[in-house]
Amino acid sequence: MSEMRRVTAINNGTVIDHIPAGGAMNVIQMLGLDGGRSSPISLVMNVPSSKHGRKDIIKVEDRELTQDELDRLALIAPNASVAIIRSYAVAEKREVSLGEELVNIARCTFSNCITVNHREPQDHRLKVVSANPLEVRCRYCGRPQDMDALVENLL
Ligand SMILES: [Zn+2]
């Protein structure tokens, strides 16, 4: 147990659990954790999950993810659970929440949509129609969004 703890525990930072298996790299990209100045990251991939088949886990050292970052995370890991670690203990648990609407998180994927072409700055609003399976529609043109394309359109 102590050996296990030494390998897996972090002193301070964030643990993101219950990422769909294979999704960890997308999460790292989306949160900008792959840049040159970012924190050390530990990845645990493809482990059996009691909840949903297999899962990935990410541990980010010395960085506490903000609620804004977690809301983005909901697009690709809606069932993720997040723990903020301080001095090797869970200090806070945070929920990843899609809510009913994504405001200024991603841009509509249709290039002829008014929100993409409009001259006046306006909010990018995407309505969450269903969380599982995830279905998101543009508030303005009403069209359903392809998730892979939407992840490319993050603001
Ligand atoms: Zn649209």
Side-chain angles (χ1 to χ4, degrees), residues 107-116 124-126 137-145:
R107 187 183 293 119
C108 175
T109 56
F110 293 91
S111 59
N112 58 352
C113 177
I114 188 171
T115 59
V116 179
H124 295 273
R125 308 179 87 94
L126 300 165
R137 285 175 185 264
C138 177
R139 189 61 100 170
Y140 298 92
C141 69
R143 283 175 287 193
Q145 305 292 308

Side-chain angles (χ1 to χ4, degrees), residues 2 7 14 35-38 59-60 65 84 86 90 93 108 114 127 133 139 142 147:
S2 59
V7 173
T14 306
R37 292 186 302 140
S38 64
K59 300 173 189 202
V60 187
L65 295 184
I84 305 297
R86 293 178 196 136
V90 175
K93 291 201 169 186
C108 175
I114 188 171
K127 183 174 168 49
R139 189 61 100 170
M147 281 306 138

